[in-house]
Amino acid sequence: MKLIEKEFPLQEVNLFAEYDMTFKYVKREFRESIERLLNTSELKFRGLPKIHNLMYYPARRPPSAARAVTLASALEYSPNISKEIFLKAVGLENARKLARESRSLVTLYMVDPDRELVKKMLGRDPKEITVVDPMAGGGSIPLEALRLGFRTIAGDYNPLAYLILKATIEFPAKYGKRLLELLEREARDLVRYAKEALGKFYDEEAKNYLFFISAEHECGGIIPLARHTLLSKSKGLHVKPVFNKENKRLMFQISRESPTFSPAICPYCGKSVSEGDIREKWIKEHIKLIEDLIEGKIERAKDAPKVYILATAQLAKRRYRAPNERDVQLLIEACEELARSALREREEGKSIEDYLPLAEIPEDNNVFKGLRSYGFKYWYQLYNPRQLLALYKLVKYVRARAEALSKQYGELGVAVALYLALSVAKAFNYNNILTQWDSGDESIRDLAGSQYALGKSVDLGYDYMDANVLVTLPWALEAEGGESEEEGEGVETTRGGLVPVVRLLCNRLEGLWKEGLDEIYMWDSRKLHECLPEKSVDIMEVDPPYYEQHDYAGITEFFWVILQQALWPVLGELFPRDKVKIANWTSEDPKVPRRVEIRGRPPKKGSREFEEGFKGFLDSALRVLKDDGLLVVWYAYGKLEGWDELFRMLYDKGYGVTKTWQVWSEMGQRRIALERAAFFTSMVIVARPRVKRIVMASFEDPALSKIFSEDVGRTVELSIDHLVRAYGLDALKEALIVSLADGFAKATFYSLAFGLGGYRSLSDRALKISISSVLDYLAKNVARVELLEMEKLDPITRLYTFLLIASSEDLRVSYDFANRIEQVLQAPTLNLLRAGQERGSMRLLSPVEVSRKFPGTAVGRAIGLLMNVREIFARHGLRAAEDVVMNAERDEVSLVKLLVAVAWRKFSLSDDERDTLLKVLAVGGSP
């Protein structure tokens, strides 16, 4: 048995995990929790160099949690491994030391694990243990596996993910400080080149420019789609269009008044206007102008001010100015330079097209599909001329440096070129015609982080941002600086740049890469057995995609075509044949090989694409996992149906789930949303391959049914007891979730005889037993009451009692989960208990509402008794309240004790009131 199958320091790891995923600020309560764990107070919040700062990639997971999960999956369980020893091994003492010295909030990710202690606990060289992440994405899991000292193999089908893996893990571990020194020099040179080549096309003081999608009306006036005019929410600043009807001239002012202009009526002639017509006309003019410029037609530059309508320039936060003639002239000059560049390339026998993303937006790219319907066909059309000029200049520079660095330094030079290319792609995430303005933060909302993150697709809006590349590129790189310069501090800090991350990785990983053992692949995860020997893997740890949650291929193709052009001379070195295992794909292909992507609609929509792909992975993993190996799956999907399907697929492929843990994998802000909309989310699921199952001929067989019930019940009780004893009722929500999940898991070790049903029948029975076991445990061990025979109580009482305990403090619970509980308890009363519903969650009626609405139910009477006892105690004192309790029915008193003991905050009781009421209720009731 592995440690993770028995014990795990859940709260400590979750604190670090949540801090890993937090940005900009932390709440005081959370800060204090971290400080207590670090044994240091008054620590400063600093921007830490997190690996997602290297490059955008969807669905990142917290490295601190990945480290803890990986080590716990490798260690054999022993009672001698205490929580304190385990936390020391993953680096807690190192984190405490760094926190004291730097006076900064830090996470496990910021320090190394205690590798000597890890080796001692394992009893062998960690390199003898093989950890594989076949869908490694952003790289958190293999990064921390390598830092622990394990043999680490990672891969992904996506070329962007593959490059990120090499940049995050392989290159820093291979080259260490040599890589860092060369990168710092090259990064400074890139920023210097950008200033020299592009500085003259931007106002020195302007950070960002806001443009409105606009077109000329039939009357000759320019009409902007000025739907969103708020620039600064804190100062109430707007950009206000001003129309001169006489000379058909458009100007802009910075105003504290919200403009009343509507683009549905022409402000010059008063005729109705179609927004669709304005947008369609602008797109045609934009595309034609771009095409003319890259064909070298310099004279077309003068038409740019009619197509690209500049509304305002941002100088700093809360500081804006209206555009002036100089701004217009700078835009024209950028257009002229783009055209001249095309001519110069042609004169030299080359083409500007070699440096621009001229590939076609694939028809099967669903993220950008809407843009094709407008007429956008090629990637380069997603930039205005100045953005395209900047992209051309920077890509050409990086391409030249890639070739030179490769010749001079070999693979080390290729690695440096990769980071330069990543910085360019990262900068243009914030510099294209699909960006948006965030008036709250007063910053650009990037393409991937706004439109895609919110809707998994992108569209042309009403406006977009043209960022000053002399601001965005230095930010993307952050080549200057390093460790904090304040005395006594040694923690790496960052504003979000790439170089500080590489600095940390190089300092932490140098020397850990072992040629011939550690590998990065670009592969099809359904064919791992073609790349890895049979039964060679100790731990297969994976954060897989789920259904349509992310369109990885769709969003990453935007970045891939930039990287591909910038790294063209060294693509063969970055993508060697022995590491690219996807047939009929080469690095010269501008399309991401989505044909091997595991993705598909959820089962309720009638699709089995995801199931077929994921089962293919499970089959392949089964072939390469050792008999005593573990499959560790990170589950972060917000639908209960996904949970059911995942367990069923594991079951169908011969895996047995031995344990689950609720390990937070989202940032704090996002976690709140997930907590409300989903119940079994942010879970780590531990499974064994090729398990032997107990065959049940029938649920009616009293012997086998008893074995199953006792097995599930014992598992659930041990699970909830472990967490409640370790962390008290502060961890009740986590304990409840993990114990129910473990009940599901136990069902994977049983099977039903042919014709009696599959895993769903087993899981339904297991869930019903788990609910009873949870309530029994809480009644006996927390409320100190006799067994509550919930089966004998009315349906409303059974359902409301459990959901009240499972709900968040604002009485919200996942609707899918509540519906499933209703079905399992055979208590069709959910609609009667629902106060409201939104975004996948529902709000329960308050206890007071339930007591008034259902006074004849056991829970209604119990809540009524509680309110009565509370009032009598307040008015007449302890003895009078005890008299009320003594005259009440014993079952009602037992139920009240349970509710007060575990759900007191949902009755708006303070801790002191809870303790007092429990003393009053301790006198019992009448039989």
Side-chain angles (χ1 to χ4, degrees):
M1 177 186 292
K2 300 297 184 183
L3 182 67
I4 200 168
E5 295 174 293
K6 179 76 172 178
E7 292 182 359
F8 190 73
L10 198 60
Q11 281 205 327
E12 292 86 354
V13 170
N14 278 343
L15 273 174
F16 282 131
E18 193 168 344
Y19 188 36
D20 275 353
M21 306 305 285
T22 299
F23 61 95
K24 293 188 178 179
Y25 68 92
V26 292
K27 294 181 179 179
R28 187 179 67 178
E29 182 180 350
F30 180 70
R31 178 198 300 268
E32 290 173 350
S33 297
I34 290 283
E35 288 178 338
R36 284 194 294 271
L37 184 53
L38 294 172
N39 286 345
T40 309
S41 60
E42 298 182 0
L43 298 177
K44 297 178 181 179
F45 171 78
R46 303 183 190 277
L48 304 180
K50 301 170 183 180
I51 57 173
H52 64 247
N53 293 145
L54 281 176
M55 182 62 205
Y56 166 81
Y57 201 78
R60 297 280 192 161
R61 296 293 165 242
S64 294
R67 181 188 301 180
V69 168
T70 305
L71 180 58
S73 301
L75 289 170
E76 296 292 336
Y77 169 73
S78 168
N80 294 326
I81 301 179
S82 65
K83 180 174 69 174
E84 290 71 25
I85 291 175
F86 178 84
L87 289 172
K88 182 180 180 182
V90 294
L92 179 57
E93 288 304 317
N94 292 337
R96 287 171 172 168
K97 182 175 183 293
L98 181 60
R100 288 194 302 270
E101 293 176 352
S102 66
R103 306 306 304 169
S104 302
L105 288 170
V106 299
T107 73
L108 295 177
Y109 159 72
M110 290 295 297
V111 298
D112 290 329
D114 187 335
R115 282 191 283 270
E116 286 301 315
L117 179 56
V118 168
K119 184 176 181 179
K120 181 179 178 181
M121 293 167 72
L122 290 170
R124 54 176 167 158
D125 187 340
K127 280 296 180 186
E128 296 177 19
I129 297 173
T130 301
V131 179
V132 176
D133 182 352
M135 307 177 205
S140 297
I141 293 170
L143 168 65
E144 295 303 332
L146 190 71
R147 295 180 75 176
L148 287 164
F150 298 131
R151 180 190 182 195
T152 301
I153 301 173
D156 205 290
Y157 81 97
N158 192 298
L160 177 60
Y162 169 83
L163 290 176
I164 291 173
L165 290 172
K166 294 180 83 70
T168 303
I169 303 162
E170 181 178 345
F171 292 147
K174 273 185 178 179
Y175 300 110
K177 293 181 178 61
R178 290 172 59 208
L179 169 63
L180 177 60
E181 290 171 3
L182 186 55
L183 173 60
E184 288 177 330
R185 188 188 75 195
E186 290 293 328
R188 288 191 290 269
D189 287 348
L190 174 56
V191 171
R192 190 179 304 115
Y193 166 78
K195 291 179 180 178
E196 293 171 356
L198 296 166
K200 56 190 170 185
F201 303 112
Y202 299 91
D203 180 350
E204 289 182 352
E205 295 185 341
K207 291 179 61 179
N208 301 301
Y209 299 96
L210 173 66
F211 284 82
F212 284 127
I213 303 300
S214 311
E216 187 177 288
H217 190 233
E218 60 185 29
C219 70
I222 300 292
I223 303 177
L225 295 182
R227 283 288 191 186
H228 308 298
T229 63
L230 185 61
L231 298 174
S232 171
K233 187 178 291 185
S234 64
K235 295 285 286 187
L237 298 178
H238 292 260
V239 55
K240 180 180 179 181
V242 179
F243 305 95
N244 187 316
K245 295 182 180 181
E246 293 182 4
N247 59 19
K248 301 293 193 297
R249 189 180 179 190
L250 169 64
M251 299 179 64
F252 293 94
Q253 296 176 348
I254 307 302
S255 172
R256 291 187 179 275
E257 297 180 2
S258 177
T260 57
F261 162 70
S262 170
I265 301 295
C266 177
Y268 307 100
C269 66
K271 292 183 179 180
S272 62
V273 180
S274 166
E275 288 188 12
D277 289 344
I278 294 176
R279 183 176 278 106
E280 182 179 352
K281 187 173 182 180
W282 181 85
I283 292 169
K284 289 180 179 178
E285 292 176 349
H286 158 71
I287 291 175
K288 183 65 170 68
L289 181 54
I290 288 288
E291 289 175 348
D292 286 346
L293 292 173
I294 63 175
E295 286 180 9
K297 297 179 180 178
I298 301 175
E299 70 278 4
R300 287 282 279 131
K302 67 180 185 301
D303 298 323
K306 297 178 182 179
V307 180
Y308 306 105
I309 305 302
L310 176 59
T312 187
Q314 184 199 30
L315 307 180
K317 282 197 175 184
R318 297 178 292 280
R319 288 184 58 213
Y320 304 84
R321 66 164 173 78
N324 55 40
E325 292 298 325
R326 177 61 178 154
D327 293 320
V328 175
Q329 184 59 34
L330 289 174
L331 179 61
I332 292 173
E333 290 173 4
C335 294
E336 291 174 341
E337 177 61 16
L338 181 61
R340 289 194 186 96
S341 297
L343 292 175
R344 282 194 294 268
E345 294 290 348
R346 194 179 305 161
E347 290 170 359
E348 296 175 7
K350 300 176 183 177
S351 172
I352 195 173
E353 296 179 0
D354 292 338
Y355 310 103
L356 297 178
L358 290 189
E360 185 174 345
I361 300 172
E363 291 185 6
D364 55 356
N365 186 316
N366 291 320
V367 173
F368 293 85
K369 189 174 184 178
L371 298 178
R372 286 188 63 101
S373 66
Y374 289 146
F376 293 102
K377 190 176 181 180
Y378 303 99
W379 292 109
Y380 75 92
Q381 295 169 343
L382 304 184
Y383 305 91
N384 76 10
R386 182 160 51 193
Q387 292 169 336
L388 204 57
L389 172 67
L391 184 58
Y392 155 71
K393 295 274 190 182
L394 295 175
V395 165
K396 182 175 181 179
Y397 177 89
V398 172
R399 185 188 281 210
R401 292 308 299 151
E403 190 168 14
L405 288 166
S406 175
K407 289 179 181 178
Q408 185 174 359
Y409 298 100
E411 189 184 57
L412 172 60
V414 173
V416 171
L418 172 58
Y419 294 113
L420 299 182
L422 287 172
S423 72
V424 173
K426 179 177 177 178
F428 281 87
N429 185 25
Y430 293 83
N431 213 358
N432 56 76
I433 64 171
L434 302 175
T435 51
Q436 299 174 333
W437 182 245
D438 184 346
S439 60
D441 198 42
E442 296 187 56
S443 62
I444 298 174
R445 300 184 68 190
D446 58 302
L447 165 65
S450 57
Q451 289 204 58
Y452 171 75
L454 294 173
K456 303 302 177 282
S457 64
V458 299
D459 198 356
L460 181 67
Y462 300 98
D463 49 64
Y464 68 90
M465 302 305 300
D466 183 358
N468 186 335
V469 75
L470 303 186
V471 175
T472 55
L473 183 65
W475 164 81
L477 279 165
E478 202 174 348
E480 304 296 337
E483 293 183 352
S484 174
E485 296 178 357
E486 294 181 35
E487 185 177 353
E489 299 190 348
V491 64
E492 187 75 42
T493 61
T494 178
R495 298 184 304 276
L498 178 151
V499 172
V501 183
V502 180
R503 185 177 295 118
L504 182 142
L505 293 173
C506 287
N507 289 334
R508 300 298 181 185
L509 299 184
E510 185 171 17
L512 293 181
W513 188 266
K514 302 300 180 186
E515 291 286 358
L517 291 178
D518 304 308
E519 304 284 357
I520 303 293
Y521 289 99
M522 186 174 167
W523 59 16
D524 181 348
S525 61
R526 300 167 302 176
K527 298 180 179 180
L528 300 175
H529 56 281
E530 297 179 4
C531 306
L532 303 173
E534 184 176 346
K535 294 186 178 181
S536 63
V537 176
D538 297 280
I539 302 168
M540 181 81 69
E541 187 174 351
V542 60
D543 171 28
Y546 289 99
Y547 304 104
E548 295 177 308
Q549 189 172 22
H550 277 293
D551 189 339
Y552 292 87
I555 186 59
T556 58
E557 263 170 347
F558 174 85
F559 302 105
W560 167 236
V561 292
I562 296 175
L563 293 170
Q564 184 186 54
Q565 294 291 67
L567 296 168
W568 192 267
V570 295
L571 287 177
E573 295 170 77
L574 286 166
F575 294 87
R577 290 185 177 182
D578 63 325
K579 295 298 186 293
V580 178
K581 302 293 185 178
I582 297 177
N584 302 317
W585 187 90
T586 68
S587 56
E588 289 79 21
D589 191 339
K591 292 184 63 175
V592 170
R594 58 174 50 79
R595 67 183 183 279
V596 302
E597 183 179 25
I598 296 177
R599 191 169 185 269
R601 292 176 297 171
K604 283 186 179 179
K605 296 183 179 179
S607 171
R608 289 294 173 188
E609 291 176 90
F610 176 80
E611 179 181 350
E612 291 172 5
F614 195 75
K615 280 189 170 181
F617 155 67
L618 291 177
D619 272 333
S620 189
L622 199 67
R623 297 171 68 170
V624 301
L625 273 168
K626 294 179 179 179
D627 288 332
D628 62 346
L630 289 185
L631 173 65
V632 181
V633 181
W634 290 69
Y635 178 79
Y637 184 65
K639 298 288 185 181
L640 187 62
E641 62 182 339
W643 172 269
D644 283 343
E645 286 293 297
L646 175 59
F647 266 62
R648 182 183 62 78
M649 287 187 282
L650 288 167
Y651 181 85
D652 288 348
K653 291 302 175 181
Y655 292 86
V657 178
T658 57
K659 194 71 181 78
T660 65
W661 297 101
Q662 189 179 36
V663 178
W664 289 119
S665 59
E666 299 283 346
M667 69 182 74
Q669 298 93 324
R670 175 70 179 143
R671 197 187 92 173
I672 294 171
L674 285 173
E675 216 176 354
R676 288 184 172 183
F679 200 72
F680 292 111
T681 190
S682 290
M683 300 291 291
V684 165
I685 300 161
V686 184
R688 293 260 181 184
R690 301 179 283 275
V691 298
K692 294 181 180 179
R693 294 186 172 123
I694 298 173
V695 179
M696 300 179 65
S698 168
F699 275 128
E700 305 306 319
D701 184 321
L704 286 175
S705 183
K706 183 180 180 183
I707 291 173
F708 180 79
S709 298
E710 290 178 349
D711 200 4
V712 172
R714 182 169 54 252
T715 298
V716 170
E717 185 170 341
L718 288 172
S719 182
I720 193 170
D721 183 67
H722 169 69
L723 289 176
V724 170
R725 285 185 183 276
Y727 301 111
L729 292 180
D730 287 341
L732 180 59
K733 182 76 181 293
E734 289 86 350
L736 187 67
I737 292 171
V738 169
S739 60
L740 292 182
D742 284 346
F744 275 117
K746 183 53 64 175
T748 62
F749 288 88
Y750 290 81
S751 64
L752 292 170
F754 181 77
L756 295 178
Y759 177 72
R760 181 61 186 256
S761 298
L762 289 165
S763 65
D764 281 351
R765 179 64 65 95
L767 179 56
K768 188 173 183 179
I769 296 166
S770 299
I771 292 169
S772 297
S773 299
V774 164
L775 293 175
D776 288 347
Y777 174 85
L778 294 174
K780 287 187 295 184
N781 297 283
V782 179
R784 308 296 181 186
V785 300
E786 296 298 324
L787 185 67
L788 276 174
E789 297 183 89
M790 297 297 292
E791 288 291 329
K792 295 183 180 179
L793 297 177
D794 58 274
I796 287 178
T797 296
R798 295 202 308 271
L799 185 60
Y800 187 75
T801 299
F802 185 76
L803 292 182
L804 182 67
I805 294 171
S807 66
S808 55
E809 288 193 24
D810 62 357
L811 303 182
R812 292 185 184 274
V813 68
S814 160
Y815 180 75
D816 287 345
F817 173 73
N819 189 56
R820 180 74 182 275
I821 298 299
E822 177 192 51
Q823 294 171 358
V824 168
L825 292 180
Q826 297 178 324
T829 58
L830 187 59
N831 286 336
L832 300 176
L833 299 173
R834 181 170 54 190
Q837 185 173 338
E838 61 177 289
R839 294 182 182 178
S841 68
M842 60 168 283
R843 184 168 58 83
L844 296 172
L845 292 174
S846 70
V848 172
E849 290 172 317
V850 168
S851 69
R852 291 172 180 169
K853 192 172 181 179
F854 306 106
T857 64
V859 71
R861 294 194 301 272
I863 294 170
L865 174 61
L866 168 59
M867 293 188 296
N868 188 31
V869 169
R870 186 183 185 187
E871 183 178 355
I872 293 296
F873 177 81
R875 289 186 176 183
H876 305 291
L878 177 64
R879 183 57 62 88
E882 289 178 340
D883 287 343
V884 172
V885 172
M886 293 176 65
N887 290 324
E889 294 184 10
R890 185 175 298 168
D891 288 345
E892 285 182 18
V893 175
S894 295
L895 184 54
V896 173
K897 288 181 71 176
L898 174 62
L899 294 174
V900 171
V902 300
W904 72 97
R905 292 193 179 99
K906 295 158 193 177
F907 289 85
S908 299
L909 297 174
S910 67
D911 291 0
D912 289 341
E913 287 178 304
R914 173 201 60 189
D915 295 342
T916 299
L917 284 170
L918 288 175
K919 288 179 182 178
V920 172
L921 293 166
V923 299
S926 60

